[in-house]
Every structure is written in C-alpha cells, then in structure tokens.
Amino acid sequence: MASAKTGKTKTGTLVALGLFFSLGVVLFVQLTNRPIVPLQQPLSMPPQVTLLTDPFLQSPTESSIRVVWFTEFAGSDHKVMYGPGDQTVFADTTQLSRTREDAESKTVEPYEAVTQRPIWRHEAEISGLRPGLPVPYAVASTTDDGTTVQSDQFSLRALPPAGEPLKILLTSDHQLMPMTAANLQKVEETIGQVDGVFLAGDLVNIPDRASEWFDDARGGAFFPCLQGRASYNLINDENEEGTVYKGGKIIQNAPLFTAVGNHEVMGRYSTTTALNKQFNDPVPWNAAKDLYDQHKAIFNPTENEAVERHWLKENSFNIDTYNEIFSLPKAQRDNGQTQRYYATTFGDVRLVSLYVTQIWRMFKVDDETRGRYQERAVDLGNPQNWGHGQMIFESIEPGSPQYEWLQAELASDEFQQAKYKIVMLHHPAHTLGDNVVPAFTTPVPVYDYGDEGNLTGIRYEYPKEEDHIIKYLVPLLDEAGTDLVFYGHSHIWNRFKGDSGMHFLESSNVGNTYHAHTEARPRPVPQDSRFKETYVATGDPNGLTPIMPTLKPLTDEFDNPMPYIASNDITAFSILDTGLGTITSYYFDTRKPESAVIPFDVFNLGQRER
C-alpha cells in the first residue's frame, strides 16, 4: 500500500525539475487539452545510475491513482513530484521476493545458475485529484550512496468521468515476441497517447525471470516496450539488416489493466532447477496435497496449517511475481481480497478481468512427451513427475469462488448500467487458433494396464461438452448483456459474433503465431484410436464462423480475403474508441518498415440485443 506521508519538498529536491514546475500554469492549460506530455532528458543523472523503469500508472479511482516504478537499489526518499506546485508524495518500497536469473537469461552479464536478483518496487498513491484533469508528474529515488536519480515528466489523472471519449488499446501476449516493440511503437505513432491499456495476459515468458520484465539484452523486455525504451532490431527475409523499434511511451501516461495468462504462472519452486523447467512444472493443488500428506506422515506429522499452505504453494504453482509487480483493482474473495480477477469502471466501460487459463502442454502423442494427452512412459512409476495434462489454474465452474463473484458482479448496477460491458480473459472462447483445443475442462485421466496389472500408460481426455468456458461462462456473460469478450493465447487476430450480438475478439498477433487452422492447415490433434474424444482440427471448434474484416482484409496466395491475421511478419493491434462506440483493428507489415499502418476492420459495440 502507498504511504500516507506527504508534505513540502526539502530544499533542493526539485532543483532538477525547476524548469518544469516554473512552466506550471502553461503546462496545466496545455494538459487540460490532453496532449502527449513532452519528455525531457533527466537532469543531473550519472550515466551509471538509473531507474530500472519509468513510472507507470495503476488502479485509478475518482480522486486518486497509483504510481509505480522499479530500481535495482533499495535507496531512500522514493517520491512522486506532481502538479504545478511543489507537491510530493513519498512511496512505500518493497523488494520483489522471487525475481531471479539463470543460465538461460538474456542478460549482458551471464548467470551460471539460478540466482536471486534483487529488485525494489516503489508505489505512491496520488490523491485529491479532480476527475478528468491531467496533472504533470515525475518520480525520483535516492541511491544508497546519496545520488538522486529522477524520471522524465509525464501526465497522470484520476478515473475519466462517464461520457468522456477515450481510446483504449486492446492487446495481449507480448512475451518478448519479435514484433512487440514494433507493434507498440506503431500504436503511439498512429493513435497518439491512448487513455488506457487492456492486456489479456501472457505479459512475459517466464514470470520469475527479472530480465524479461526489465532489461532483456535482446531489447524487447515488457516494461521497455510499453514505455518507449526498447531497442529491438527486427530482422526478416525482406529486411536483412533489420529495423530497430523502441516500443511506445504508453503506460507512463495511461493506466494498465491486465489479466492473468498461463505465462504469469510459475510451477513448483526450486533454488537450483532452471527457471524454464520450473515454469513448465505446475501440478494441481489436489496432487500437491496428496504428496504433502505422504510427506507429513513420514517426516513431520506435527506441521501446522501455515507450514502446509506454504509447502502446497511451493509444490504446485503461484503467481507471486505478477501479484507483486502490479496493483490492480481488488475483488472480495473468501473474507479477503484478490487481484487475480476484478472489475472496474473506466469512463463508459465496465471492465471485468477474469483468471481463466491453464498450463500449455505439447500436443504430441508419444511415450517421450509429457503433453496435453499423455504422460511420459518413463514417469509412470513416479507420480511426482506427472504433468496432469492441461490443468486449469483457477476454476470458473458454478460454485467456485470466481464464478460466484462473477455472478454478483454481472448483476451489479455498475455492470448493468455501463454503456460498454467488456470481459477480458486469456483463454479463447472462439478462435481459429491452436490453443482452443482440447476443451477448457479438467483433464480426465485414463489409466492403461498390461495383462499382469502393471501401469502401461496414462492418457487424458477432454470432453468437449464439458468445456467450462462454453458451458458455464459464455451463457452467463451473454445473459448479463456483455458487449465484448476479449482474449488472446493463440497469437492471432480474429473475431466472432454470437447470435445475440455479443462480440468475441482475439487480438494478440505480435509474433510466434500458432496459425489459423483452416482446411489447408489443420490443427495437430490426436489420431490415436485409443482416444474416445473427437478433437476438431479446423475452424472454430465451438461453432462460430469468423467475421471477415470490414475494411481491408489480408488476402491469401489466391487473392482470397482472409478472416484472420496469423503472421510472423504482419502485426495487429486494436483500439476501442468509446466516443464513437467502435473497435478498430490495424495492421503493420514489418517487412516494409516505411509502409503505412492500415486500418483493416471496424465494428460497433453497444448494439446487441438485450
């Protein structure tokens, strides 16, 4: 939580910002017209000492907003300086508990083994703001040796009031993908400063790897791309020398709202195992509980409840780093609060962000692969090594805490009276992509035994009629009048529309596409007769026909228009314009760096049947 400690700035603290604050009245007049705040080079900053990130904005309310930034030093006097006067708020500082590097990290100085990397987070709440009025701000931190470093100047404000036209970026699956920096740079160049960002999960690849958030040596880490500080050289067959993209200066001036994707979840914790392997090693809570009960009975039958909870988390999965990095709106849960799922009003939008995701496993069906559909043969006698198929991390079934919270949220006045009702989650409801198969349901294990009663195989079935998203979630959202369900996961762009007018949009094409699965390119699904379930190899397995882009669809090699973008060269992003009530999607061909950004699809929200 942010510190309540506020007060006048000490002598000399704002010397470096003197020019900025002396222009206070002029800047205030300019900012009420909401231009992009011009960024200045930091003053008096030794080149070897910097902030790890620019500040970014979180959890606005009607009169406040949170400012967050990171450093690699504990330091002191971390503060936000804002307004046309000398107002200062001091930040609360916490150290991230699980940020690490290992031999697979892309860092300037290599790491030989899993190593804790100390990162400090600073957060201050700026209160007493007037709705809709932008305020200039900057942050400063003092190092352990007394050197003060500061950010450029940016703009913050409280929640925008209802009726104010906003432009909101809809994006997903950044994951340090090759086109992410180019994509976000083109957002800024095309739209200017957006008012908010809705990001539907998969922010990085390995959530505990610090460099993926802050300073990956390839130049495309999460925060640099969203803050215009990236340096990613994008090379392709038509541009062999490459083009360096810097991303966009976005979240310094616009609040970021995220959803939990599968790449926000770490598996079983270890101080020695490579981070990639830890990430790919989650197990369900009930499986961890079985192992714990065996451990407890043998080693320590007197362990208490707190020890048990800690052991279960370390030996199942967690989203600790995600939770420690962000300050999102909170939902009430089990006599406490969670930001795994939440709801907030942002101008005319009621945004509901859900935790709907599962571990991604390989689609191969063979005895050597711990995959979606079966365990490795070598692991059959070692239950602690089982992958348990594509396990779901948080239930959305009726009776679950998330489902019951969602029912109450959808019935609330805040949701029902909103002009635009948007639900954001990571896993797709409808898509041409790969990651919608098998069904989003709890894997059903099938145990194969030999003639002598020995275990010869473990397979997993996913009954399509038990898909939790289609069976439980979509009907609930539809009945509540949801306008848009927004998601990612398959690294493509496509959209759909239900019979009642509810829209489905997947806008996550920044590279590493999983392709659109048409007759020409079917999904890899089991062909083994042992599997009872029939898995859909082409089209949307949940029965909707993709909508052809309305402005300028891409075409295939026969010049036929395509209802999707699935490319490692052409990137797409989408903008919600609440003033017009439209979502417009744009593409940019990175093979042609000087080419224009093309609007290729637009559709209206708020016109569905009620």
Side-chain angles (χ1 to χ4, degrees):
M1 298 297 290
S3 170
K5 181 170 57 175
T6 63
K8 297 289 184 179
T9 308
K10 297 177 183 179
T11 302
T13 302
L14 293 181
V15 170
L17 291 175
L19 176 61
F20 163 52
F21 286 129
S22 70
L23 296 175
V25 175
V26 176
L27 276 174
F28 236 26
V29 172
Q30 291 176 336
L31 286 169
T32 55
N33 293 321
R34 299 173 57 208
I36 301 174
V37 178
L39 304 183
Q40 305 169 355
Q41 290 299 315
L43 304 178
S44 304
M45 181 185 292
Q48 72 276 16
V49 181
T50 62
L51 304 176
L52 191 54
T53 67
D54 274 343
F56 68 103
L57 302 178
Q58 294 275 266
S59 294
T61 72
E62 292 180 352
S63 61
S64 70
I65 196 165
R66 296 176 183 272
V67 178
V68 179
W69 69 103
F70 296 88
T71 63
E72 286 195 276
F73 53 84
S76 62
D77 291 332
H78 306 284
K79 51 186 171 283
V80 180
M81 300 158 288
Y82 68 100
D86 59 352
Q87 299 177 81
T88 301
V89 173
F90 288 89
D92 276 354
T93 294
T94 55
Q95 184 176 348
L96 302 185
S97 65
R98 291 179 182 257
T99 44
R100 295 167 287 164
E101 305 288 0
D102 67 358
E104 297 177 67
S105 296
K106 308 302 182 185
T107 52
V108 174
E109 297 295 331
Y111 290 79
E112 295 182 359
V114 176
T115 305
Q116 196 79 15
R117 183 172 171 190
I119 305 290
W120 283 267
R121 180 184 190 269
H122 317 288
E123 178 185 283
E125 184 175 20
I126 311 303
S127 58
L129 300 174
R130 293 170 56 189
L133 181 64
V135 175
Y137 81 100
V139 304
S141 294
T142 300
T143 66
D144 297 326
D145 65 3
T147 302
T148 296
V149 293
Q150 65 190 46
S151 73
D152 298 338
Q153 67 180 66
F154 305 106
S155 175
L156 59 78
R157 63 184 187 133
L159 272 177
E164 180 180 327
L166 305 173
K167 292 184 178 179
I168 299 169
L169 171 62
L170 307 179
T171 185
S172 183
D173 295 77
H174 289 186
Q175 290 184 253
L176 289 82
M177 291 301 170
M179 296 190 292
T180 303
N183 182 288
L184 296 172
Q185 181 171 320
K186 293 304 174 180
V187 170
E188 183 184 18
E189 292 175 357
T190 306
I191 307 301
Q193 179 59 56
V194 297
D195 299 289
V197 179
F198 296 170
L199 203 165
D202 278 11
L203 285 62
V204 296
N205 281 309
I206 309 298
D208 283 3
R209 182 174 284 133
S211 52
E212 294 197 11
W213 294 101
F214 304 114
D215 55 5
D216 186 281
R218 293 166 292 184
F222 177 78
F223 283 107
C225 281
L226 278 163
Q227 296 187 325
R229 298 163 65 99
S231 181
Y232 192 94
N233 189 28
L234 181 58
I235 299 172
N236 52 50
D237 291 341
E238 297 184 31
N239 184 15
E240 294 181 356
E241 293 185 0
T243 300
V244 177
Y245 293 97
K246 59 184 177 56
K249 299 183 179 101
I250 297 175
I251 59 173
Q252 299 97 320
N253 305 292
L256 171 64
F257 301 94
T258 61
V260 180
N262 55 296
H263 280 270
E264 278 65 72
V265 186
M266 284 295 288
R268 289 186 278 193
Y269 182 83
S270 169
T271 58
T272 57
T273 303
L275 295 177
N276 286 34
K277 187 173 181 180
Q278 289 183 50
F279 166 74
N280 280 305
D281 194 33
V283 300
W285 278 81
N286 58 351
K289 183 66 164 61
D290 289 343
L291 293 173
Y292 176 79
D293 289 341
Q294 298 172 28
H295 155 85
K296 181 177 179 180
I298 296 172
F299 295 108
N300 193 349
T302 63
E303 288 179 350
N304 60 35
E305 183 178 347
V307 171
E308 178 177 351
R309 285 198 305 270
H310 177 75
W311 194 96
L312 290 175
K313 182 179 73 169
E314 301 295 75
N315 289 276
S316 56
F317 58 88
N318 72 86
I319 57 170
D320 285 7
T321 295
Y322 172 84
N323 276 333
E324 291 175 3
I325 284 177
F326 297 104
S327 290
L328 300 164
K330 301 292 192 296
Q332 295 297 319
R333 172 195 168 112
D334 298 335
N335 300 317
Q337 291 185 321
T338 182
Q339 61 180 16
R340 298 199 290 274
Y341 47 85
Y342 59 87
T344 189
T345 296
F346 191 69
D348 285 331
V349 177
R350 185 65 173 177
L351 172 68
V352 178
S353 178
L354 299 178
Y355 184 9
V356 180
T357 191
Q358 62 188 167
I359 184 65
W360 187 92
R361 299 272 189 220
M362 281 293 296
F363 49 77
K364 292 181 180 179
V365 180
D366 59 48
D367 287 343
E368 286 73 46
T369 301
R370 184 178 69 166
R372 305 177 187 185
Y373 301 109
Q374 72 178 67
E375 299 289 357
R376 297 191 305 172
V378 71
D379 291 332
L380 294 179
N382 300 295
Q384 69 272 17
N385 293 337
W386 294 353
H388 303 275
Q390 287 201 161
M391 53 170 285
I392 293 172
F393 290 120
E394 178 101 10
S395 176
I396 195 65
E397 294 175 276
S400 67
Q402 183 173 203
Y403 186 91
E404 292 185 348
W405 169 84
L406 179 61
Q407 279 186 307
E409 162 58 30
L410 297 178
S412 69
D413 290 342
E414 290 87 351
F415 188 88
Q416 287 299 314
Q417 295 175 11
K419 187 174 182 179
Y420 305 113
K421 305 171 178 65
I422 297 178
V423 174
M424 177 171 69
L425 61 154
H426 185 62
H427 197 92
H430 299 279
T431 184
L432 300 177
D434 172 62
N435 287 334
V436 73
V437 172
F440 189 85
T441 188
T442 302
V444 179
V446 178
Y447 301 95
D448 295 324
Y449 293 94
D451 294 339
E452 298 180 0
N454 56 309
L455 185 64
T456 60
I458 301 175
R459 294 177 285 111
Y460 296 101
E461 301 274 6
Y462 301 83
K464 184 181 175 183
E465 67 275 10
E466 293 301 319
D467 189 303
H468 298 173
I469 295 174
I470 301 303
K471 184 177 182 179
Y472 304 123
L473 182 58
V474 168
L476 189 66
L477 301 181
D478 205 2
E479 178 66 24
T482 303
D483 295 298
L484 173 69
V485 183
F486 171 56
Y487 45 83
H489 197 35
S490 287
H491 301 192
I492 69 173
W493 182 97
N494 54 186
R495 72 177 179 94
F496 303 81
K497 189 176 182 181
D499 291 340
S500 68
M502 186 164 68
H503 295 277
F504 300 86
L505 174 65
E506 181 174 12
S507 188
S508 58
N509 186 238
V510 292
N512 193 33
T513 180
Y514 291 113
H515 306 291
H517 294 288
T518 61
E519 294 294 335
R521 190 167 191 154
R523 291 183 187 90
V525 296
Q527 305 297 324
D528 195 318
S529 61
R530 294 177 302 162
F531 290 91
K532 295 185 299 182
E533 186 67 27
T534 300
Y535 297 102
V536 179
T538 62
D540 171 39
N542 295 318
L544 292 185
T545 301
I547 294 176
M548 189 67 67
T550 57
L551 300 177
K552 192 176 178 61
L554 294 177
T555 57
D556 63 17
E557 64 270 28
F558 304 108
D559 209 31
N560 298 312
M562 299 186 298
Y564 60 85
I565 294 179
S567 171
N568 288 320
D569 297 309
I570 300 174
T571 187
F573 61 87
S574 300
I575 300 292
L576 166 62
D577 187 323
T578 66
L580 298 176
T582 59
I583 292 179
T584 303
S585 294
Y586 302 78
Y587 70 72
F588 170 64
D589 191 338
T590 65
R591 296 169 298 187
K592 304 172 183 177
E594 303 304 319
S595 64
V597 174
I598 305 297
F600 70 94
D601 181 66
V602 64
F603 66 96
N604 295 309
L605 287 186
Q607 299 182 354
R608 59 161 294 176
E609 297 177 7
R610 300 296 185 189

